Amino acid sequence: MSAGEDGVYFRMRFFFFFFLVVLCLLDSNISTSHGCFVEERTALMDIGSSLTRSNGTVPPSWGRGDGDDDCCLWERVKCSNITGRVSHLYFSNLYDSLEVLNAHGDSFWRFNTTVFSSFPELQFLDLSSIYPSSLNIDGLVGLKLPKLQHLNLSYNWLQESILADLGELVSLEVLDASSNAMSGVVPTAVLKNLTNLKELNLSANGFSGSLPGSLLELPHLDPSGSSLAGRTPINSSLEPVSLQVLNLNNNRMSGALPTERAFGYLRNLRELHLSSNNFTGNISTFLLSLPHIERLDLSGNTFEGPIPITPSSNLSLSLKGLRFSQNNLSGKLSFFWLRNLTKLEEINLSGNINLAVDVNIPGWAPPFQLKQLALSGCGLDKGIIAEPHFLRTQHHLQELDLSNNNLSGRMPNWLFTKEATLVNLNLGNNSLTGSLSPIWHPQTALQSIVISTNRITGKLPANFSAIFPSLSTLDLSDNNFHGEIPMSLCSIKHMKDLSLSNNNFSGKMPTCVFTDFLELWTLSASNNQLGGLVFGGMKKLSIGFAMHLQNNKFEGTLPRNLSGALVIMDLHDNSLSGELDTSFWNLSKLQVLDLSGNHITGSIPQKICSLASIEILDLSNNNLSGSIPRCASASLSSLNLYGNSLSGNISDDLFNTSNLMYLDMRHNKLTGNLNWLRHLDKIKTLSLGWNDFEGQITPNLCKLKCPRIIDFSHNKLSGSLPPCVGNISCESDTAAQNYSPLLLIYVIIEAYIIVHDPIDFTFATKGGQYTYGYNFFDLMSGIDLSGNMLSGEIPWELGNLSHIKSLNLSNNFFTGQIPASFANMSEIESLDLSHNELSGLIPWQLTKLSSLAVFSVAYNNLSGCIPNSGQFGTYGMDSYQGNSNLRSMSKGNICSPDSGAGDLPSEGRDSMADDPVLYAVSAASFVLAFWGTVAFLFFHPLGQRAILATGNLVFWCGH
């Protein structure tokens, strides 16, 4: 063997030996757990132990047997194929706090946050939706993960201080801190240390102040859903920054957009989202010409003028999406002007009523295929359905919204072709006719149909579920459908929102509707001719949130062992009968129960107090008798017992409820005094008229905090009126809201009540009956003490009630003069002092009351001249009749002895039936069918997804 060959041989043996040594060294550092490093497996087991201690659930595959020692094979864990070390941890929703809370009464995942430092090769860490946990207390102090590239901390209610703990994550490229409780200015100093950061998501937080311009150098920036204000930041550099995606949706930014020169540094933008802000001015042409722009969202602002697209526009050929909805745009836009945009997928121009949109161009075949088209509430070509030239060219449509356009023509069943890709269809609030048949091809992709508020008629197809097997939302309300509801409807397994209200459906509701829809969130079938046994005789209901069956012909008695997850149950104005027995009801989530306008008999059951979550209870206009049960309820805010035959003495401890805001017990046979009023700290509407209450009105009434409606009319109250009634004021509550995740759920429920159960509050004022909506607290306030035996002088302090709009003191025994201080009731609309024993002059100061539409002092002992200036020049003599010493004013402002109010017929105290104005003011009083507490818009009808999405909704509401 030559020397050269010896050298080669020696080198080969050396490298072979070296390779064996390296293998041995590597093997010495690998545990016997078949590829899983000891320290990483130990760390995961520590995390599992912390879950167990916190009553959480450990993933089943974590160390449960000899074959499960390799943690790289465990759920939520991924290892590198090269190093064998843990590289990805997917811990989103690992701790189910709601499940733990329901099972154990409290929930908190306590763990050592530095445990993640045991994974030196970790690149991806998802800690989203594990609230509440140690993250909320300890943050991520001391966390050392030099190779971490992606960190998700969303949906944890974290404070902004946690961002200070991220400085040592030098390799971090993507940070998602969305949907938390961060506030203040955006902490740019902290983020400056993350030199490799490419994508930052701070959406759905509470950041305020202006948007730091330094953040615009990130490729992807999303601080949407916060409270950022000011103008869009401007970069003085002429060189374009690397920003490609900028999402500023749902903030408070304002002003006009920067000029083309000032905005030139954003030439690399692919997506610009500025919706739901307060931007003004015109839309700049250059935005549509940015060389790389794909999606432009300017919706929900106050932009005005035309969309800067003309036949000669130099539009970016990259454009895929245009969203200009909910602005004040005007002028004209022809889709033919978009003829060069071959990549266009989405157009949303909804909510621009002055924008003329020309869609139908006969013979033109667009080069683009839209996936989303929304033209709701704009100046749309009315023939888009009757002569659908354009729509017939679009074969890939998934979302089509042509609602609120007063479109005519027949229901476009031609949309339901064999090749149709529609997922969501909204044709609501038009003037469409026709029916839902024939439809020849199943629409397996279609999930939502909204055709409400049209003139569509006919019966529903018997094979409805075969045609639309995948529906989750079906809204047929406010049409002319008739016939029975087909049984096949129940075969649609993923139905979540079913609305059949305001049609002419008849017959029995299929029993399966109440029991077989396992995902049904809301059922609305009100205002039809449906009948049969209530709930079809079923006792266990599958509906998950709300059921509206009011104004039908359902009959029978409510089951005594009713169960389900309902939050809202509305059965008012049906034909229910029998006694109400809630002894075995299992409706722990029920917050709204409306059984008004039925024929329910017997007494109110004591067990109704066991409905621990009840907020609104309406049993009005039934045949209930007996006494009112004593309930201690912290949740009850509205109780309506109007129009029954309830009796008994109301004592001090009857209403032991701290949150009662609305109480209506009118038209019953209740007795006792009013000393118990002092317990109603938060009452806004207090209606006790047409009962047998007696005794004096005590100063306890004056301790109530801002009652808007007080009706004690037609009782047996006596004595004088406490002067302190004039000091009742409405001081606004400026205490800061303590927001929490549970508040989001409360907002959802209250917003839903407002939308689906609006208040109809009827109040007799200004000579007639007026109906107010859910905001009647802002529109109406009044006091009605008529038809009692009150005496003495009217306290001048009543003039301090500057917010009051109606005051009725008629049919009592008040004496003395009309207080001149009544001139301070600057918002008064109706003032009735008739049928008393008042004397003296009508104060001339009352002529300053410019809003006073109805005024009556008939049947008193007044004297002197009747004022004729201001509103007093509009009242007829029936406002003054029965006062023999009153005289009208002549043209020369001199009292005329020949024409006095005493010359009119004087029928006496019992002449109300002949006085239509007084009859309206005295007898109509207040009628409230259903009251719901205030809140939004909802995201319904999806369960947990809807509640999570409301995190964004709540932040948007203020913008």
Side-chain angles (χ1 to χ4, degrees), residues 589-659:
K589 298 180 180 179
L590 191 64
Q591 296 191 18
V592 179
L593 177 60
D594 188 350
L595 302 176
S596 61
N598 282 282
H599 310 296
I600 301 173
T601 59
S603 59
I604 301 174
Q606 180 68 42
K607 281 290 186 178
I608 207 165
C609 303
S610 300
L611 297 174
S613 300
I614 198 71
E615 289 187 21
I616 300 173
L617 178 60
D618 192 342
L619 302 177
S620 61
N621 290 304
N622 278 283
N623 299 318
L624 296 169
S625 58
S627 60
I628 300 173
R630 288 174 170 79
C631 288
S633 173
S635 60
L636 189 64
S637 61
S638 173
L639 177 61
N640 191 347
L641 303 176
Y642 174 99
N644 283 283
S645 298
L646 298 170
S647 59
N649 189 296
I650 304 296
S651 59
D652 271 4
D653 60 346
L654 181 61
F655 293 104
N656 186 13
T657 173
S658 57
N659 291 309

Side-chain angles (χ1 to χ4, degrees), residues 198 255 331 402 612 737 798 864 952:
K198 297 179 181 178
L402 303 179
Q737 284 276 14
L798 293 186
N952 289 336

Side-chain angles (χ1 to χ4, degrees), residues 822-826 828 845-852 871:
F822 277 13
N824 297 325
M825 297 180 181
S826 56
I828 192 78
Q845 292 92 338
L846 301 188
T847 60
K848 298 187 300 181
L849 298 175
S850 59
S851 299
L852 189 60
Q871 286 291 98

Side-chain angles (χ1 to χ4, degrees), residues 476-712:
L476 308 180
S477 61
D478 295 282
N479 277 285
N480 296 316
F481 288 107
H482 59 85
E484 296 188 355
I485 297 172
M487 186 79 68
S488 68
L489 203 65
C490 300
S491 299
I492 304 175
K493 296 302 181 184
H494 299 292
M495 185 73 76
K496 293 180 174 62
D497 188 0
L498 177 59
S499 183
L500 308 173
S501 298
N502 299 304
N503 281 283
N504 294 310
F505 288 116
S506 59
K508 296 180 179 180
M509 176 78 81
T511 301
C512 58
V513 171
F514 301 109
T515 59
D516 290 6
F517 281 128
L518 300 182
E519 298 181 22
L520 191 60
W521 186 248
T522 61
L523 169 63
S524 299
S526 58
N527 300 304
N528 282 285
Q529 303 296 321
L530 296 168
L533 199 60
V534 62
F535 309 142
M538 295 294 101
K539 303 170 184 176
K540 186 175 182 180
L541 308 177
S542 62
I543 302 162
F545 183 70
M547 178 170 58
H548 301 274
L549 301 177
Q550 63 267 28
N551 285 305
N552 279 287
K553 298 179 179 180
F554 292 108
E555 58 188 15
T557 303
L558 286 170
R560 65 195 302 262
N561 50 353
L562 199 60
S563 65
L566 276 173
V567 175
I568 299 172
M569 181 162 62
D570 190 348
L571 288 162
H572 78 255
D573 291 304
N574 277 280
S575 299
L576 303 181
S577 60
E579 296 190 3
L580 181 61
D581 185 355
T582 61
S583 300
F584 300 99
W585 278 17
N586 184 10
L587 297 170
S588 59
K589 298 180 180 179
L590 191 64
Q591 296 191 18
V592 179
L593 177 60
D594 188 350
L595 302 176
S596 61
N598 282 282
H599 310 296
I600 301 173
T601 59
S603 59
I604 301 174
Q606 180 68 42
K607 281 290 186 178
I608 207 165
C609 303
S610 300
L611 297 174
S613 300
I614 198 71
E615 289 187 21
I616 300 173
L617 178 60
D618 192 342
L619 302 177
S620 61
N621 290 304
N622 278 283
N623 299 318
L624 296 169
S625 58
S627 60
I628 300 173
R630 288 174 170 79
C631 288
S633 173
S635 60
L636 189 64
S637 61
S638 173
L639 177 61
N640 191 347
L641 303 176
Y642 174 99
N644 283 283
S645 298
L646 298 170
S647 59
N649 189 296
I650 304 296
S651 59
D652 271 4
D653 60 346
L654 181 61
F655 293 104
N656 186 13
T657 173
S658 57
N659 291 309
L660 194 63
M661 297 176 64
Y662 173 83
L663 177 62
D664 190 347
M665 301 194 299
R666 289 173 295 163
H667 290 276
N668 281 284
K669 302 175 182 178
L670 300 171
T671 60
N673 56 44
L674 300 181
N675 292 334
W676 49 275
L677 294 180
R678 64 177 180 271
H679 300 298
L680 305 180
D681 292 339
K682 298 181 180 179
I683 201 74
K684 299 298 181 185
T685 298
L686 181 59
S687 299
L688 308 178
W690 299 89
N691 279 285
D692 293 320
F693 291 111
E694 56 188 5
Q696 294 186 335
I697 298 177
T698 68
N700 287 332
L701 178 66
C702 309
K703 299 177 181 178
L704 303 182
K705 299 176 181 178
C706 188
R708 300 290 294 183
I709 301 294
I710 297 175
D711 179 4
F712 295 165

